[in-house]
Amino acid sequence: MADTPGASEPTLEAQIAAYQREFQDLDPQVEQIVSALGRLNRRMNVAYGRQTATLGMSNAEWEVLKALVLGGAPYRLGPGDLAKRLGLTPAAMTHRIDRMVGDGLVTRERDESNRVRVIIELQDAGRQKWLEAMRLATVFEEDLLQDLSQDERGVLGEMLTRLLRRVEDAQPDSGGRLTDLA
C-alpha cells in the first residue's frame, strides 16, 4: 500500500531511514509496524472526527455516549465513573457533560438513593446520535478493510489483540490518564 503522508510528514520509509541513521540499533521491521499503527490511529481518529462533526458532535462526546452504551441498560453512570473510563479529569468530564446536557444527549440528575451522587443518563437523542455514528463508522471500517480477506481480517484482529493485551498487562493504567504524566 502506498504511503500518502501529509505535507510535513515523511513517508514511513524516510522516517525509518532517518531513525536508522541516528539510532543504529533500530529494528526497521518493528519500527515499520509501530509507526504504521500510530499513523493509522491518527488518521482513523481524524476520519471519525469528520463523521461525528457531520452529526453535530465531537469525538469526545461520542466517547461519552459510547461509555454509557457499553455500561449497559439503563445507560446510567456517575461522572466520576465516566471520567475514569475515558481517562479524563473530573473538570474535563464536567465540561463535556455540560455541552451534552445542553444538546439533549444526556441528562444530569441527583441519584434519588444518594442525593450527593450525580447520575448521567443517556437520552433517546444521544442513543440515536450514537447509532448514526456507528453506522457511519461501519461504512468507513468496511472500506478500510476491503482489501483484506476474511481470513486476513481474522489473523490481523488476533495479532492486534495480542499486542493490545501485552500493553495492557505491562501498563495496567494505559487505558486512562497516567498518574505519572498528570
Side-chain angles (χ1 to χ4, degrees), residues 51 134-144:
Q51 290 178 340
M134 290 298 292
R135 287 182 193 100
L136 292 172
T138 299
V139 170
F140 167 73
E141 292 158 359
E142 284 295 326
D143 185 57
L144 175 69

Side-chain angles (χ1 to χ4, degrees), residues 110-126:
R110 294 270 174 216
D111 184 343
E112 291 302 319
S113 64
N114 177 353
R115 298 292 295 161
V116 175
R117 184 181 149 108
V118 172
I119 298 292
I120 309 305
E121 184 173 351
L122 182 66
Q123 296 299 293
D124 288 338

Side-chain angles (χ1 to χ4, degrees), residues 4-10 43:
T4 55
S8 64
E9 188 173 36
R43 285 167 172 80

Side-chain angles (χ1 to χ4, degrees), residues 7 35 50-51 71 97 100 105 116 132 134 143 151 158 173:
S35 294
R50 288 180 179 141
Q51 290 178 340
I97 291 169
M100 296 176 75
L105 303 176
V116 175
E132 186 58 30
M134 290 298 292
D143 185 57
D151 288 344
E158 290 171 14
D173 60 353

